[in-house]
Each structure stands twice: as C-alpha cells, then as structure tokens.
Amino acid sequence: MTEGALVAESRGVLAHHARSFRWGAWFLPKGAHDDAAVTYAFCRLVDDVVDEAASEQEAVDGVEQLEGELTGTHPASELIRGFSEVMTRQEGSLEPAFELIKGVRSDLGEQIVQTEGELLTYCYRVAGTVGLMMCQVLRVNDPRALPHAIDLGIGMQLTNIARDVKEDAERGRVYIPAEILALHGLTPEEVLSGTCNKRALSNAVRWLYELGERYYRSAEQGMRFIPWRSRLAIFVASRTYRGIGVKLARRGFDAMAGRVVVPWYEKCFWVGHGLAGALATLVSKSYRSHSAQLHQALRGLPGCASV
C-alpha cells in the first residue's frame, strides 16, 4: 500500500466512524488532516481488536500482535508503520499509544469500575492519550498544552460513557463507579441486568455529565496553544461532542432510552458555537493555569500535571 492509499483509507475510516470529529477535521490543514486520519485509524484498530473479536482469546492475541508491531518484534502493517512515523516526528513518542493499549486491554472480560480514580485512569488511557497524540499531529510545542489536551480526551470519553450506559451494560461493562452508584442506592449488578431504578440511574449519569464538563472547561484553557487553523478544528470537534451531553441532559439523563443522536442541523449549531469559541481566544489573552487537582488520580502518567 502506498502512503497515498494509506491516507485515503484512513480518511475513509475517519469519515465513517468519527461522525462528530469529522466536522472539525474539515478545518485542519491538509497535512494535519492526513496525520489525524492515520492516527484515528490506528486508535480505531486498537479499539476494534477487543470489541470486534470473536472470543476473549482472539482479543488477547490481537492486542499482543499490536504491541509487537509497535515495538518491532513483529512485522508491522502499513497502518502501524504510518502511525509510528507520525508519532515519532520531531522527537515524539509512542508512549501514549502503549497507554491506549493498556486501557483497551482492561476492557477484556467484565469491566466494573469501582472508584472515580479508576474511572479517570481508564478515561486517560483510552482517550486522554489521544489528546497527547493530537498534540504531536498538530505540532503543539508548548508543554503547558499537554494536561489540557488530556482533559479534552477525558471529557469526551465521559460523554461517551454517559451516552452508552445501556450498550456498555449489554457488553458486561459498567463504567459509572460503584461508589457513585452506591450513593444513589444502586449496584453495578442492577445496571448490568437493566433492573435499576430509572431516576436513580439518571442522577448517576448526571454526575458523569457534570464531571465531564469540568474537564471540557479545562481543555478550553489550553486551546490557545494550538496553531490557529487547527484550533478552529479542535474547538468545533469539542463543542460538537459536548452537544451529545447537552442532548442527553434535555431528556433528563435517561441512559436506558437508547443512544443519543445529534441531528445534522444541531451539529451545524455546534460548529458555529465552536468557531465562536475559537475566535474568542483571539480577544481574551487571559490564561488560567491547569488545575493539578484534575489529575490527582493520574499522577505519574505521561503528560499529566504534577500534583
């Protein structure tokens, strides 16, 4: 496969699967768009190795194969080679990719999160790391940007979790921490079986939404470190994704009513909202430094703020 064919195939994956991010991707410069597509295709591959496997053993073997291709102990596919080249330019690192694989590996078998700290660590691994990868893709050089980029990934993953409570339960996964469910009189087993009190579960999902908003707000403080045109893209992608949570809030955080879908005309509104947010960074020069408290559970992980 030629480099052009890899980019074209990766752009196809991005267009088909990343329905919110692709609205932002329109604003990326061509080179960054190509690199973002290859990076997304890699992340999608890692996710699918577990979620699409016919058995747990097949998933385990697939994850080990990916790690081997990244470390060079197995022959690498065109996608892995292309992704590695994107990540290691300008002295970049593959460390976030290995953290992503750790997060996906934790989804093997039943996954029941016990504490808020466990939830945030999981969100860091499967999505915060993508923020770090995008810093490399977008040539974001200021190290102050990294914790904010992680926060955008965490915020988006919390939106995912709030939206997909029902689907995840059907896969044997409960990401709302057991300690939070207990505060609302619920157990993970009730979520898995679909027998939990609807109002109580809605209140637990509201907690997820509000937690995600803290991370989104922090993420926007770091947008000023992104080159201008790419900043437009990330603002649009962020606001469009936040629209999922807003839609969920409008229906009372009812997680069992099926997946929230934001129609195209509402996405157009969020695109405008994102562009306005990006323009606002040109007017306001104030910057609030990252709150290390947001990364208290993540100490020692690559890119995280020190506590």
Side-chain angles (χ1 to χ4, degrees):
M1 185 186 297
T2 64
E3 181 179 350
L6 173 62
V7 168
E9 186 175 297
S10 297
R11 280 194 179 223
V13 173
L14 177 66
H16 180 69
H17 293 286
R19 295 181 181 177
S20 292
F21 181 74
R22 71 183 180 189
W23 289 71
W26 291 344
F27 297 93
L28 289 173
K30 182 181 184 304
H33 193 166
D34 291 347
D35 287 350
V38 170
T39 300
Y40 178 83
F42 167 78
C43 295
R44 185 77 196 184
L45 172 64
V46 174
D47 196 51
D48 286 349
V49 159
V50 170
D51 284 348
E52 304 299 324
S55 66
E56 187 170 333
Q57 186 57 53
E58 182 180 309
V60 170
D61 293 342
V63 168
E64 290 179 355
Q65 175 69 26
L66 284 176
E67 286 181 318
E69 291 184 41
L70 283 172
T71 58
T73 59
H74 298 314
S77 67
E78 292 289 338
L79 175 57
I80 300 299
R81 278 203 299 272
F83 167 74
S84 296
E85 288 171 8
V86 170
M87 288 297 105
T88 54
R89 286 178 197 153
Q90 300 179 336
E91 301 180 0
S93 171
L94 285 171
E95 199 170 18
F98 288 109
E99 289 291 335
L100 170 64
I101 290 172
K102 282 183 188 177
V104 171
R105 180 181 272 120
S106 71
D107 278 331
L108 290 169
E110 188 175 76
Q111 165 75 300
I112 296 179
V113 171
Q114 297 296 325
T115 67
E116 180 179 337
E118 283 183 28
L119 170 65
L120 292 174
T121 300
Y122 173 76
C123 289
Y124 164 83
R125 288 201 163 112
V126 299
T129 55
V130 180
L132 295 177
M133 294 177 202
M134 287 302 296
C135 284
Q136 180 67 13
V137 166
L138 303 178
R139 310 292 196 271
V140 179
N141 299 316
D142 194 315
R144 290 178 295 175
L146 299 182
H148 297 289
I150 289 168
D151 289 348
L152 179 56
I154 290 175
M156 294 173 90
Q157 185 62 28
L158 288 168
T159 296
N160 259 351
I161 291 170
R163 178 193 64 189
D164 295 343
V165 170
K166 182 179 180 181
E167 289 181 23
D168 287 332
E170 290 168 354
R171 291 177 179 264
R173 302 169 184 171
V174 180
Y175 295 108
I176 305 174
E179 64 181 12
I180 300 301
L181 290 173
L183 292 176
H184 297 283
L186 299 171
T187 67
E189 290 71 28
E190 288 174 313
V191 178
L192 287 171
S193 65
T195 59
C196 51
N197 179 275
K198 182 176 175 180
R199 183 181 295 275
L201 182 60
S202 294
N203 289 334
V205 173
R206 180 191 295 273
W207 174 86
L208 274 178
Y209 169 78
E210 292 173 350
L211 181 63
E213 283 297 302
R214 291 179 60 198
Y215 285 89
Y216 279 121
R217 288 193 292 270
S218 173
E220 294 207 348
Q221 282 296 305
M223 297 285 195
R224 66 194 66 246
F225 301 118
I226 304 174
W228 169 243
R229 187 168 165 188
S230 297
R231 191 186 314 170
L232 291 172
I234 302 306
F235 254 106
V236 166
S238 171
R239 295 284 176 89
T240 304
Y241 220 81
R242 285 174 86 171
I244 297 171
V246 171
K247 186 96 172 176
L248 184 61
R250 285 189 196 138
R251 74 177 195 192
F253 301 101
D254 184 354
M256 293 305 190
R259 171 176 279 220
V260 168
V261 176
V262 180
W264 67 268
Y265 52 86
E266 289 187 21
K267 285 182 179 176
C268 288
F269 167 80
W270 289 111
V271 168
H273 209 272
L275 294 175
L279 290 170
T281 63
L282 299 180
V283 177
S284 173
K285 301 298 182 182
S286 63
Y287 167 66
R288 266 198 326 273
S289 59
H290 187 272
S291 170
Q293 185 179 9
L294 290 175
H295 287 184
Q296 194 166 5
L298 308 176
R299 64 182 70 188
L301 290 170
C304 290
S306 57
V307 180

